[in-house]
Amino acid sequence: SAGRVPTEQAYQYYIANCLESQELDRACRSELETTQRESGKLDERERMKRFAQVVARRAHAAVLVGSGDDVYITGFAQLFTLPECADEDMRVALSRLMDEMENTLAGLTNELDETVEVRLGDANALPEHCSAVTLQLPDDYHLSIFGPMRMDYDHHVALLNYVRKFFEPAVR
């Protein structure tokens, strides 16, 4: 890219044609497996929140989990450490996002199927130049990693695919 910022079209091309299956490192898998063991006796909502916290930490991104008006967000402060958030307009847009979490969740999960999906630009309810990687969970809950379009899609898709196995066969 010779120092240029890739366009949304370039990211869409990458996701459609270059996204590679990636295996998570042992420490990440271990932390998720520990979360599964330790959250076994929690109700499903609390269990999803625990997984969201681990995913946010491992993705170095914000994570939203919820259904309808039942929304939980974690890792949001990590967004403001990214170079993209040096821009005041981006900071304001992300802050407004917090005020409209229910609408954001609806936009992220509109017509979602059972796979992990990546949504960019107009295909999500996030501010311009942002994207989300989303997984459908039981009872119409969804877990989304979101942040600037410049994110590690290979890792985020692998992370959510690994989380997915802890909710099977409940995941549709």
Side-chain angles (χ1 to χ4, degrees):
S1 72
R4 294 183 303 271
V5 176
T7 63
E8 181 179 325
Q9 185 178 12
Y11 281 111
Q12 288 172 337
Y13 178 86
Y14 175 82
I15 290 162
N17 299 293
C18 304
L19 198 65
E20 294 182 8
S21 179
Q22 185 180 84
E23 188 169 322
L24 297 176
D25 64 58
R26 186 175 3 169
C28 185
R29 291 191 315 267
S30 177
E31 185 174 6
L32 288 165
E33 290 162 4
T34 298
T35 301
Q36 168 67 4
R37 281 190 306 278
E38 292 176 354
S39 66
K41 295 190 184 205
L42 298 174
D43 67 41
E44 207 61 3
R45 183 177 181 277
E46 287 301 312
R47 189 168 161 247
M48 288 179 209
K49 285 171 65 173
R50 295 277 174 93
F51 273 98
Q53 292 164 352
V54 173
V55 169
R57 191 168 40 257
R58 288 296 175 169
H60 307 289
V63 173
L64 181 149
V65 65
S67 176
D69 62 357
D70 180 16
V71 179
Y72 173 75
I73 187 167
T74 186
F76 198 78
Q78 293 183 79
L79 290 179
F80 293 101
T81 67
L82 300 174
E84 291 84 351
C85 290
D87 176 68
E88 184 178 352
D89 291 338
M90 179 65 96
R91 288 192 312 268
V92 169
L94 288 170
S95 297
R96 285 190 183 132
L97 181 71
M98 292 295 291
D99 293 334
E100 300 176 9
M101 266 309 134
E102 292 86 5
N103 294 335
T104 300
L105 181 65
L108 289 173
T109 60
N110 184 29
E111 300 178 19
L112 188 67
D113 65 18
E114 69 274 2
T115 62
V116 172
E117 286 192 19
V118 177
R119 296 199 174 185
L120 302 169
D122 293 335
N124 69 54
L126 298 172
E128 185 179 13
H129 306 296
C130 290
S131 62
V133 182
T134 303
L135 169 66
Q136 183 171 340
L137 294 169
D139 300 323
D140 289 323
Y141 275 81
H142 301 85
L143 190 145
S144 295
I145 301 170
F146 63 93
M149 274 195 221
R150 183 190 57 85
M151 67 166 60
D152 188 348
Y153 293 104
D154 297 315
H155 180 259
H156 293 353
V157 168
L159 188 55
L160 291 188
N161 275 324
Y162 202 80
V163 167
R164 176 187 173 83
K165 77 177 197 168
F166 298 115
F167 292 92
E168 289 178 340
V171 172
R172 295 189 272 284

